[in-house]
């Protein structure tokens, strides 16, 4: 049966022994080998091997005894660990060689009805699932931190910026919730990427299927995959799941870099004080407290974007089906996930331990006539076209700047006279103008859905808490499906050993 069928590419059966004789060395040996980096998929490969062997026995492609000996050998390989593997082109070949060393040539039956091409694709997906869940979990932690900090600061005024210029007063709670909202979509993108990663390519073989009566659904179920990647060529060679996952990671890293940058700027202005744990000092200037952790967080976006670019450049223009270029594809994603998970957790720590300088923030909230839009809104509500209202307020702002004073109701009145030939107070009460000039009242007035008024922020906090708990459940469901599959695989293996 399968043991003696080989091909030059995704060979089957006793290929390892054949390869050992013919391709044992050469100057490019190191260059060809992915064995060291494959440590990350060592456990994945053992699981994939086990599921495949169980299925082969269930389908009577190999005998129960053969399955038992191979599964025993795999247990030994696992306890010896990745470091104990002999040399080889990759972890798949090295584990197979170790199994053959343990049980003799029949160990080679493990590779019946598959190829390293579907095998490696299954291993990458299997391992990446855990990484994506960890990444999603980290985003949940960061969201929780942002939401809790926002809940404490629904009344803490601060200046809001556009173009880095003071624009309109907002609150710290509103600012923090803006990031919690973006990051909830980062979580969703990671979970989406997870769902498309969590499909089994196993059984695609080299790329053209197999004549053996395999059960692809069974190996998929034993490995906790939600289904199979049906087309065998697609299964063995497509890496769009890596592109999607890395893009989701790079997107989250980009969000983090914006958050880090904002807090760096706010720390510079004295608006926020980072805990010593998240700061560094200078080796020469003893007074310095630098936001290094956030600067590194900001830089991780560069790493993640670089990995995404590297990955897409590797994949671009690759013909179907398997090409060895693919060996250099998934390491990009693994490096990206490691960097981004770390940065996301650090950002959460920096935010949760930071203190906001409430009195300075309140003083600055109205700086630069940041309530101007509120005055224009007030005039527009009184029936003036918004464009005319804008003109009046702009003139008052200009006059205040020339006179080096702040905008007052009196100044606004004289600007209204200039533009309209009428008093401002024909349109609105003086008290309404005065309250619109006040940053706190300006914030209170902007109570539209999602706006900065305390009640609006509180309701977005309530919504965000609900989404957060739904997302934690979605994550827990995925984790428990994987745990169940691990138990089912162990039980299926126990039938043979
Ligand atoms: N180490 C390879 C990889 O990471 C495994 C597949 C090798 N297949 C082949 N036909 N050479 O992609």
């Amino acid at each position: 049966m399968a043991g003696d069928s080989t091909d030059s590419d995704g060979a089957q059966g006793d290929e390892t022994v054949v390869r050992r004789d013919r391709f044992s060395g050469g100057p490019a040996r190191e260059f060809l080998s992915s064995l060291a980096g494959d440590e990350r998929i060592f456990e994945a490969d053992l699981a994939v091997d086990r599921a495949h062997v169980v299925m082969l026995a269930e389908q009577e492609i190999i005998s129960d005894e053969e399955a038992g000996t191979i599964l025993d050998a795999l247990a030994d390989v696992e306890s010896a660990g990745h470091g104990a593997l002999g040399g080889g082109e990759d972890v798949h070949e090295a584990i197979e060689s170790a199994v053959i060393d343990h049980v003799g040539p029949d160990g080679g039956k493990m590779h019946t009805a598959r190829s390293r091409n579907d095998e490696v694709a299954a291993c990458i997906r299997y391992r990446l699932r855990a990484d994506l869940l960890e990444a999603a979990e980290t985003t949940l932690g960061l969201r929780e931190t942002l939401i809790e900090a926002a809940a404490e600061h629904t009344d803490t005024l601060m200046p809001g910026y556009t173009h880095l210029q003071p624009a309109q007063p907002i609150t710290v709670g509103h600012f923090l919730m803006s990031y919690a909202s973006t990051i909830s979509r980062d979580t969703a993108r990671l979970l989406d990427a997870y769902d498309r990663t969590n499909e089994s390519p196993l059984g695609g073989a080299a790329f053209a299927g197999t004549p053996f009566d395999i059960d692809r659904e069974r190996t998929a179920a034993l490995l906790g995959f939600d289904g199979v990647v049906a087309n065998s060529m697609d299964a063995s060679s497509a890496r769009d799941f890596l592109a999607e996952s890395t893009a989701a990671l790079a997107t989250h890293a980009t969000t983090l870099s914006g958050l880090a940058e904002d807090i760096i700027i706010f720390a510079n202005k004295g608006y926020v004080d980072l805990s010593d744990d998240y700061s560094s000092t200078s080796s020469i200037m003893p007074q310095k407290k630098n936001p290094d952790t956030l600067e590194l967080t900001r830089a991780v976006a560069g790493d993640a974007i670089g990995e995404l670019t590297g990955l897409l450049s590797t994949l671009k223009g690759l013909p179907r089906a398997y090409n060895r270029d693919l060996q250099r594809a998934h390491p990009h994603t693994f490096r990206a996930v490691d960097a981004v998970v770390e940065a996301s957790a650090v950002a959460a720590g920096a935010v949760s331990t930071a203190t906001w300088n409430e009195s300075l923030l309140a003083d600055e909230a109205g700086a630069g006539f940041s309530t101007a839009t509120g005055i224009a809104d007030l005039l527009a509500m009184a029936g003036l076209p918004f464009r005319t209202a804008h003109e009046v307020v702009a003139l008052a702002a200009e006059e205040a700047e020339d006179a080096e004073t702040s905008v007052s109701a009196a100044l606004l009145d004289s600007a209204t006279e200039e533009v309209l030939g009428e008093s401002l107070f024909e349109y609105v009460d003086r008290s309404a103008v005065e309250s619109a000039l006040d940053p706190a009242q300006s914030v209170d007035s902007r109570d539209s859905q999602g706006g900065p008024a305390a009640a609006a922020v509180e309701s977005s906090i309530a919504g965000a808490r609900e989404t957060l708990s739904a997302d934690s459940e979605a994550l827990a469901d995925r984790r428990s499906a994987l745990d169940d599959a691990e138990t089912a695989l162990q039980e299926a293996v126990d039938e043979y050993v």
Side-chain angles (χ1 to χ4, degrees), residues 9 34 89-90 92 116-117 120 322 324 326-327 330:
D9 194 18
S34 60
E89 236 179 51
D90 53 33
H92 323 289
R116 279 186 299 158
N117 299 349
V120 69
Y322 182 86
R324 194 62 174 270
L326 292 179
Q327 182 168 291
H330 53 277

Side-chain angles (χ1 to χ4, degrees), residues 233-275:
M233 206 172 200
D234 182 31
S236 300
S237 59
R239 295 291 187 272
D240 54 291
F241 69 96
L242 292 178
E244 183 176 5
S245 301
T246 316
L249 291 161
T251 303
H252 180 50
T254 303
T255 311
L256 289 176
S257 72
L259 173 64
E261 171 72 353
D262 273 326
I263 296 182
I264 290 166
I265 291 171
F266 295 162
N268 170 271
K269 291 175 185 284
Y271 295 170
V272 70
D273 202 11
L274 289 181
S275 124

Side-chain angles (χ1 to χ4, degrees), residues 15-252:
E15 123 186 278
T16 325
V17 178
V18 173
R19 283 174 164 277
R20 230 190 258 156
D21 291 345
R22 209 174 136 203
F23 299 107
S24 59
R29 183 185 176 144
E30 290 289 315
F31 184 66
L32 280 168
S33 176
S34 60
L35 185 56
D38 285 348
E39 181 164 7
R40 190 163 185 136
I41 53 170
F42 174 68
E43 289 295 335
D45 194 69
L46 291 164
V48 166
D49 286 344
R50 287 178 174 125
H52 184 66
V53 168
V54 165
M55 181 279 292
L56 290 177
E58 287 173 356
Q59 295 296 104
E60 297 176 2
I61 296 169
I62 62 173
S63 72
D64 290 358
E65 294 69 37
E66 287 162 346
T69 12
I70 293 170
L71 292 168
D72 275 336
L74 286 172
D76 292 343
V77 172
E78 181 168 36
S79 2
H82 180 267
L85 292 172
E89 236 179 51
D90 53 33
V91 71
H92 323 289
E93 192 185 279
I95 289 180
E96 191 185 337
S97 300
V99 168
I100 293 170
D101 287 346
H102 273 70
V103 310
D106 273 356
K109 292 196 176 182
M110 178 170 80
H111 209 52
T112 309
R114 73 171 187 192
S115 146
R116 279 186 299 158
N117 299 349
D118 59 336
E119 184 182 357
V120 69
C123 294
I124 300 164
R125 286 170 182 265
Y126 183 97
R127 170 62 212 226
L128 184 58
R129 292 187 313 197
D131 290 320
L132 288 173
L133 290 183
E134 197 195 348
E137 182 158 27
T138 314
T139 63
L140 298 185
L142 177 56
R143 282 162 61 189
E144 186 167 8
T145 295
L146 290 165
I147 294 169
E148 293 321 312
E152 282 172 31
H153 292 289
T154 53
D155 290 318
T156 308
L157 291 178
M158 71 175 284
Y161 298 86
T162 61
H163 311 271
L164 266 189
Q165 301 296 322
Q168 288 186 275
I170 52 165
T171 64
V172 170
H174 188 244
F175 163 77
L176 294 171
M177 283 311 293
S178 79
Y179 277 107
S181 309
T182 309
I183 297 166
S184 74
R185 293 189 297 276
D186 291 346
T187 309
R189 275 183 279 271
L190 288 164
L191 291 178
D192 275 358
Y194 174 91
D195 289 343
R196 270 181 291 275
T197 296
N198 193 26
E199 294 175 335
S200 177
L202 209 57
F207 71 98
T210 168
F212 289 95
D213 179 26
I214 58 169
D215 184 347
R216 296 192 60 194
E217 302 288 346
R218 177 64 174 150
T219 42
L222 286 169
L223 292 166
F225 288 113
D226 286 334
V228 301
V229 183
N231 181 286
S232 60
M233 206 172 200
D234 182 31
S236 300
S237 59
R239 295 291 187 272
D240 54 291
F241 69 96
L242 292 178
E244 183 176 5
S245 301
T246 316
L249 291 161
T251 303
H252 180 50

